[in-house]
Amino acid sequence: MRKKVIAGNWKMNLLPNEAIAYIDTLDPLVADTENEVVLFVPYTDLFYSLLQIQNTNIKIGAQNMHFAEKGAYTGEISAQMLKSINVDYVLIGHSERRQYFNETDETVNKKVKTALENEIKPVICVGETLEQREKGETEEIITTQIEKALEGIKPEQMKDVMVAYEPIWAIGTGKTATSEDANNAIKAIRNKICQIYGQNVAESIIIQYGGSVKSTNCKELFTMSDIDGGLVGGASLDPHEFAKIVNYDK
Ligand code: 13P
């Protein structure tokens, strides 16, 4: 049985003092959950958040990183920098990074490799636009994104890889994919991983759904056969609402 991973992506929100207060509020609300709880926080909140989660079951991730080990990349953050403060996870290829910051399948692939080499678990984000969905291209788009993201990744590295399926038209719009559609898309990703790595890897990899997840729709989504939890944007900014999503099974 795969565990559920419920993650909040704060995007460009919350200052360090707000991050600390958030974690203090969230901690007792999720202390009893069997689900894995992860917060993807802005770089400036990472260190404060990592101190604040000590002795809790909350994990911390970064929202991006550069693929180079080090060098003349003004303004960028390396995997080694994240590892040096014990960051566990990193989001790679979020659609907002693909859309606004020229992230491509090639840079995503390089970042996945660098993250794994530095023992940080990448969460690879994939998803189709509304136009692609309407043309019936969803499966092709997301399975190609996955195939390219994983190029050169060895089977034994796959235990540290997670995927988030986030249809772009569902992000921040209040529109959620139906649980059946989300489940089918995630099944298609799992089948692609099965083709590349075989059944064991395909059955153990965590694949989340993201896109307008909230406390009122999370149970329906997370109880589908292939959906292993969620990547939550807007609704994760309130620790009480996020705790309800983490505790969807209570
Ligand atoms: P929303 O939950 O605000 O739609 O954002 C989803 C998302 O992009 C999480 O990474």
Side-chain angles (χ1 to χ4, degrees):
M1 261 284 279
R2 294 182 299 269
K3 65 182 170 186
K4 302 283 181 189
V5 182
I6 321 286
N9 174 8
W10 290 356
K11 307 191 179 182
M12 199 170 71
N13 294 288
L14 303 187
L15 300 176
N17 60 329
E18 295 169 316
I20 291 167
Y22 180 111
I23 291 167
D24 281 346
T25 306
L26 182 67
D27 172 28
L29 303 176
V30 301
D32 296 331
T33 186
E34 312 250 295
N35 304 324
E36 184 148 330
V37 184
V38 187
L39 297 172
F40 289 95
V41 309
Y43 289 137
T44 44
D45 292 346
L46 281 173
F47 193 65
Y48 300 94
S49 303
L50 285 157
L51 290 178
Q52 210 63 19
I53 56 136
Q54 286 178 17
N55 306 315
T56 75
N57 59 358
I58 302 167
K59 302 245 166 30
I60 296 294
Q63 298 173 10
N64 180 38
M65 51 163 251
H66 200 271
F67 51 76
E69 288 294 339
K70 57 161 81 171
Y73 298 100
T74 301
E76 290 294 325
I77 296 287
S78 71
Q80 214 179 29
M81 289 169 182
L82 297 178
K83 189 65 198 172
S84 71
I85 54 170
N86 292 325
V87 169
D88 284 301
Y89 289 97
V90 62
L91 291 180
I92 304 284
H94 190 280
S95 64
E96 286 150 16
R97 298 226 49 97
R98 294 182 193 250
Q99 193 177 349
Y100 307 131
F101 303 99
N102 302 324
E103 193 88 75
T104 63
D105 288 333
E106 287 68 35
T107 58
V108 166
N109 177 243
K110 287 185 189 176
K111 289 181 179 193
V112 171
K113 285 180 179 155
T114 306
L116 289 170
E117 278 158 17
N118 286 277
E119 295 175 352
I120 300 173
K121 297 178 183 137
V123 180
I124 302 167
C125 304
V126 299
E128 81 286 0
T129 63
L130 186 57
E131 199 188 343
Q132 290 163 336
R133 165 159 290 241
E134 283 170 350
K135 283 201 231 150
E137 296 172 355
T138 299
E139 271 198 24
E140 191 194 321
I141 295 289
I142 60 180
T143 55
T144 304
Q145 285 173 333
I146 279 295
E147 201 169 7
K148 291 191 172 168
L150 293 174
E151 229 171 74
I153 304 302
K154 300 185 188 81
E156 62 270 22
Q157 293 179 295
M158 287 300 288
K159 65 177 190 332
D160 293 323
V161 174
M162 274 180 18
V163 174
Y165 166 60
E166 299 202 300
I168 294 168
W169 50 271
I171 294 179
T173 58
K175 291 185 194 142
T176 327
T178 65
S179 44
E180 285 78 20
D181 280 353
N183 200 48
N184 284 338
I186 289 177
K187 271 189 185 165
I189 294 169
R190 214 178 284 289
N191 285 340
K192 173 54 73 179
I193 291 171
C194 187
Q195 276 172 28
I196 309 172
Y197 294 104
Q199 205 168 344
N200 282 352
V201 171
E203 276 174 10
S204 52
I205 190 164
I206 301 288
I207 311 180
Q208 302 173 303
Y209 167 80
S212 298
V213 173
K214 39 189 185 283
S215 60
T216 48
N217 61 19
C218 59
K219 186 165 185 177
E220 193 186 331
L221 288 158
F222 298 170
T223 48
M224 297 301 288
S225 64
D226 281 66
I227 304 182
D228 305 323
L231 183 55
V232 187
S236 76
L237 293 176
D238 171 3
H240 294 280
E241 170 72 1
F242 185 59
K244 281 190 200 161
I245 299 173
V246 171
N247 293 319
Y248 77 95
D249 51 352
K250 289 254 189 305

